[in-house]
Amino acid sequence: MTMPIRKSHPLFKILNGAIVDLPAPANISTLWNFGSLLGLCLVIQIVTGLFLAMHYTAHVDLAFSSVAHICRDVNYGWLLRTLHANGASFFFICLYMHTGRGIYYGSFLYLHAWSVGVVILLLVMATAFLGYVLPWGQMSFWGATVITNLFSAIPYIGTDLVQWIWGGFAVDNATLTRFFTFHFLFPFIVAAATIIHILFIHQTGSNNPLGIVSNVDKVPFHPYFTFKDITGFIVMLAALILLTLLNPYLLGDPDNFIPANPLVTPAHIQPEWYFLFAYAILRSIPNKLGGVIALVMSILILLVLPFTHAAKFRSLTFYPLNQVMFWSLVSIVFLLTWIGARPVEDPYVLTGQILTVLYFSYYVINPLTLIWWDKMLD
Amino acid sequence: MALAATGIARANLLKARVSGIALQNSSKFSTLRNMAAARKAVLGAIGILGGSAAGLTYALNQSVKASELELHTTKFPWSHDGIFSSLDHASIRRGYEVYKNVCAACHSMKYIAFRNLIGVSHTESEAKAEAEAIQVKDGPNDDGEMFERPGKLSDYFPNPYTNDEAARAANNGALPPDLSYITSARHGGENYIFSLLTGYCDPPAGVSVREGLYYNPYFTGGAIGMAQALYNEVMEYSDGTPATASQMAKDVAVFLKWAAEPEHDQRKKMALKAIMMFSLLFGLSYYVKRHKWSVLKSRKIAYKPSQ
């Protein structure tokens, strides 16, 4: 009997193992769609970004005008630009949904895939930050100034490090050109890290809502999940394109339509919506270095999850008290996002500080509550 | 086959790390089906309390403080507000006239060329005539000299000042902003422009405005370097529309909205097509997905203990 070409061809068999014959749990829900949606987001960003890069000029005197030129003179340049900007928002929606699903269902117990996932999250965050600087509007410039200055809080090497990043003594042309270079490069590193992420996932197979071994009830990836993922693609593309066509600047900041001016500081400096929760955590610590550590830890703390989980079941499906705690964490992140967009004044400062404590508390109280619940049922 | 599979499933399920917890017990904690009425009431109360807290937070967040000096912009019913509504092109044309006769004395629009007017507010010959009405410095010619020539369609709107310093010097130190992106660059967009242009008034008691500045409650801080520019009949429209101050403010706001988003009409037209296309694609893909999954979704798993 001859083997089908998809199983014998050295290239096709890799694809076959990933998207055709891959055994996938039959019970995974729509929340498992966000992995493939993230792949789509990456493709959209790389393709639109590539065409934008053909017309963009990374120079402080020309960057703003080159973006205006893209939007006004390049064929469908306005569409490329707004798809790229809103695509970043959808990237983060999918990232947060994907991460949230991993936390809820205990997917972090796949240590390698989870660790690479956290690295990808950090890389995408860095890429988005670098990209936001490129239009060289007021918020681009002042966002870059605020965030790069955070490195100055590092003892001993801080000032030197910041000047090394800037390529000078302030955010200027050297900063813009290198940010453009890294913004162009990072997505390809993200793509490589994604392949490693998928590789690790395929070693173990996907997790599922029950969090139990699902080998007894697996189905081939094709046609079940290919068609399910295509439906997900269409829904997300529809949402992205409709947002882009009906209200393209809804999620942006008006200040970024003002060319960067190092002499005029905007009244409220704030990042895009997807960084606001981390920005609120940063601002809630009065000490600069403490704020930076809290900011970094707000993401890196995801890495402790595999090591603090000592419960009998993997998924929160079987832990009602922890479900309440999980949704409280989600609410806290939403509230931190809101606080991040508020001015630094009472009552927002105190509210932000309380929410920051609650955010980090989850990672301590949740594993203890899991153990307590297990003991209660013993 | 299915039965065999379910038999294995059962066996594997029981092998899970449950140590002492019966699966039936665990499942009852994860559903609302068997929840006691009192527990449901408590959960409902928590939900209502949470919702109320969120509502209160939102209301407090939206409230206006007496300490704030500037007015928030009113949301006006623009004819282009609808998701499929285009800009009012007659209004864009009148707004261009307002810009040319009033605003252009101080404000540049460096990203707008005369060619951009074609098919939007002017015919090609009209736009060419508008361009030819200005003199543009060009060169150098074959003798190496700069020279002045009538404007062309490819020329951009002229800057009233030779540089920013000259603009500041002529305006008590204030730099009149370029208006190409002004509706996108201000919170409230065209609502802000209309409010600002029609919002000049005497300062309230206790508020004094420095000489050379003017009071406008919509401007941050209240004191603006630009004097009131629009008064009734300060100019005449070519289409005979009465040039009231509010009419001019509305028209120039629509013109500036177009200037900031020249793709406005095209993108809304594309949105209509996108809705039709994605509705079809979604319906089709969802049907195919359901069709492919129908076998899995309708299977019956039964446990038959071996004899």
Side-chain angles (χ1 to χ4, degrees):
Chain A
M1 198 175 83
T2 54
M3 201 181 272
I5 192 166
R6 73 170 199 276
K7 292 185 180 180
S8 55
H9 190 279
L11 181 62
F12 292 166
K13 72 180 177 190
I14 298 172
L15 291 173
N16 178 63
I19 55 169
V20 181
D21 285 340
L22 175 79
N27 63 332
I28 55 179
S29 67
T30 309
L31 287 170
W32 268 258
N33 272 49
F34 288 95
S36 65
L37 288 177
L38 280 165
L40 178 65
C41 286
L42 185 60
V43 170
I44 292 171
Q45 292 305 89
I46 288 178
V47 171
T48 53
L50 201 63
F51 282 95
L52 288 171
M54 293 173 191
H55 302 279
Y56 173 76
T57 309
H59 188 282
V60 289
D61 294 334
L62 298 169
F64 189 90
S65 295
S66 73
V67 174
H69 160 72
I70 287 169
C71 292
R72 292 172 184 278
D73 301 324
V74 174
N75 281 344
Y76 292 103
W78 58 270
L79 186 59
L80 285 172
R81 194 262 169 118
T82 47
L83 272 177
H84 197 69
N86 287 306
S89 285
F90 275 75
F91 210 141
F92 278 96
I93 291 170
C94 293
L95 273 172
Y96 294 151
M97 292 294 287
H98 194 63
T99 312
R101 189 266 294 157
I103 296 173
Y104 189 93
Y105 291 113
S107 303
F108 49 75
L109 291 180
Y110 293 143
L111 182 62
H112 295 99
W114 182 256
S115 307
V116 177
V118 175
V119 171
I120 293 173
L121 176 61
L122 285 169
L123 275 172
V124 174
M125 287 179 133
T127 311
F129 162 69
L130 295 170
Y132 193 63
V133 178
L134 303 186
W136 210 241
Q138 271 289 69
M139 210 51 81
S140 299
F141 176 83
W142 289 99
T145 303
V146 169
I147 300 302
T148 51
N149 259 310
L150 295 179
F151 290 99
S152 69
I154 298 170
Y156 192 64
I157 59 162
T159 308
D160 291 332
L161 180 64
V162 172
Q163 289 177 0
W164 180 65
I165 291 167
W166 285 342
F169 298 103
V171 174
D172 211 328
N173 199 49
T175 325
L176 181 61
T177 50
R178 62 185 56 187
F179 275 26
F180 176 54
T181 308
F182 285 117
H183 182 68
F184 198 105
L185 177 69
F186 277 16
F188 298 102
I189 301 175
V190 170
T194 304
I195 291 169
I196 298 169
H197 186 66
I198 294 169
L199 194 81
F200 280 129
I201 279 296
H202 289 175
Q203 296 298 308
T204 55
S206 292
N207 184 26
N208 66 84
L210 291 173
I212 56 175
V213 177
S214 60
N215 289 341
V216 291
D217 193 20
K218 282 194 168 165
V219 291
F221 195 86
H222 178 76
Y224 296 105
F225 292 102
T226 43
F227 282 105
K228 193 177 180 183
D229 283 349
I230 287 170
T231 307
F233 285 1
I234 288 168
V235 171
M236 197 199 75
L237 276 175
L240 170 63
I241 287 174
L242 288 181
L243 175 69
T244 301
L245 294 177
L246 293 174
N247 207 342
Y249 304 112
L250 177 71
L251 303 172
D253 196 311
D255 276 325
N256 230 26
F257 283 99
I258 303 170
N261 185 349
L263 301 177
V264 179
T265 315
H268 302 291
I269 300 174
Q270 63 181 56
E272 291 285 86
W273 70 266
Y274 37 80
F275 290 145
L276 285 173
F277 80 97
Y279 189 58
I281 290 173
L282 164 79
R283 294 194 308 184
S284 67
I285 313 287
N287 176 277
K288 190 174 179 180
L289 180 60
V292 175
I293 292 170
L295 171 76
V296 174
M297 285 310 296
S298 69
I299 304 299
L300 287 186
I301 201 161
L302 293 170
L303 290 171
V304 309
L305 284 171
F307 304 103
T308 54
H309 186 91
K312 288 178 176 167
F313 287 102
R314 179 177 199 170
S315 160
L316 295 189
T317 307
F318 306 108
Y319 297 93
L321 203 58
N322 295 81
Q323 287 176 15
V324 173
M325 289 179 62
F326 173 84
W327 291 111
S328 300
L329 176 72
V330 173
S331 310
I332 287 163
V333 171
F334 273 106
L335 288 170
L336 278 168
T337 300
W338 166 63
I339 289 292
R342 298 286 94 209
V344 187
E345 61 187 37
D346 282 327
Y348 306 122
V349 176
L350 181 64
T351 312
Q353 288 171 339
I354 293 168
L355 289 168
T356 299
V357 172
L358 290 173
Y359 175 83
F360 287 108
S361 304
Y362 173 83
Y363 297 92
V364 178
I365 299 172
N366 184 59
L368 297 176
T369 316
L370 286 170
I371 295 165
W372 175 75
W373 191 265
D374 279 344
K375 280 187 180 160
M376 200 178 72
L377 291 182
D378 265 343
Chain B
M1 179 68 184
L3 289 178
T6 53
I8 299 164
R10 176 70 174 173
N12 262 8
L13 277 173
L14 293 174
K15 276 184 197 163
R17 293 176 294 149
V18 292
S19 63
I21 305 171
L23 280 172
Q24 298 94 312
N25 274 347
S26 58
S27 67
K28 91 178 173 193
F29 293 113
S30 64
T31 65
L32 287 168
R33 207 179 306 132
N34 301 320
M35 196 178 278
R39 196 174 284 189
K40 278 183 187 169
V42 170
L43 276 180
I46 291 171
I48 291 167
L49 272 174
S52 308
L56 181 66
T57 310
Y58 179 76
L60 286 171
N61 193 39
Q62 293 293 310
S63 64
V64 178
K65 291 177 189 163
S67 60
E68 286 181 2
L69 286 174
E70 70 244 27
L71 279 178
H72 291 273
T73 305
T74 309
K75 176 92 178 69
F76 296 106
W78 300 96
S79 63
H80 57 260
D81 270 349
I83 57 168
F84 300 127
S85 306
S86 68
L87 289 164
D88 177 349
H89 285 243
S91 188
I92 294 175
R93 185 182 172 108
R94 288 194 299 271
Y96 167 71
E97 291 175 14
V98 177
Y99 169 74
K100 188 175 78 170
N101 291 309
V102 183
C103 317
C106 302
H107 293 277
S108 62
M109 290 188 83
K110 63 180 178 182
Y111 294 114
I112 310 295
F114 288 99
R115 64 181 162 82
N116 296 133
L117 299 174
I118 299 170
V120 175
S121 56
H122 292 68
T123 62
E124 186 174 340
S125 56
E126 285 172 337
K128 204 175 272 182
E130 288 293 321
E132 285 168 354
I134 64 162
Q135 288 295 308
V136 177
K137 195 173 190 179
D138 204 346
N141 60 16
D142 293 344
D143 301 323
E145 304 287 334
M146 300 301 283
F147 62 93
E148 297 246 322
R149 59 158 176 80
K152 295 187 286 194
L153 282 175
S154 56
D155 285 321
Y156 286 79
F157 285 9
N159 192 331
Y161 303 104
T162 47
N163 52 55
D164 286 356
E165 284 66 31
R168 283 200 177 89
N171 290 282
N172 289 322
L175 176 66
D178 183 90
L179 296 184
S180 307
Y181 279 110
I182 200 73
T183 59
S184 298
R186 296 290 182 274
H187 288 277
E190 58 272 40
N191 295 298
Y192 170 78
I193 301 298
F194 182 87
S195 300
L196 188 83
L197 291 174
T198 56
Y200 286 89
C201 59
D202 292 330
V207 174
S208 59
V209 178
R210 197 158 51 86
E211 198 183 332
L213 297 178
Y214 306 88
Y215 184 73
N216 192 317
Y218 293 100
F219 190 73
T220 308
I224 184 169
M226 181 177 79
Q228 182 172 353
L230 299 180
Y231 295 94
N232 292 342
E233 310 300 335
V234 73
M235 56 168 275
E236 282 183 9
Y237 281 126
S238 60
D239 66 357
T241 304
T244 60
S246 60
Q247 178 72 44
M248 288 184 285
K250 175 249 177 187
D251 290 334
V252 81
V254 175
F255 169 70
L256 294 173
K257 173 75 176 174
W258 163 77
E261 293 178 44
E263 77 285 357
H264 177 278
D265 292 357
Q266 190 190 4
R267 67 172 166 77
K268 284 186 173 176
K269 202 188 279 182
M270 284 173 72
L272 190 61
K273 291 177 186 171
I275 288 175
M276 290 190 285
M277 198 179 75
F278 277 109
S279 302
L280 195 71
L281 283 174
F282 174 72
L284 194 67
S285 70
Y286 189 60
Y287 172 80
V288 174
K289 184 259 169 190
R290 295 267 298 180
H291 174 71
K292 297 286 180 192
W293 278 77
S294 59
V295 177
L296 269 186
K297 291 282 185 184
S298 57
R299 68 183 171 164
K300 185 175 180 181
I301 299 175
Y303 172 61
K304 283 195 175 178
S306 54
Q307 298 301 315

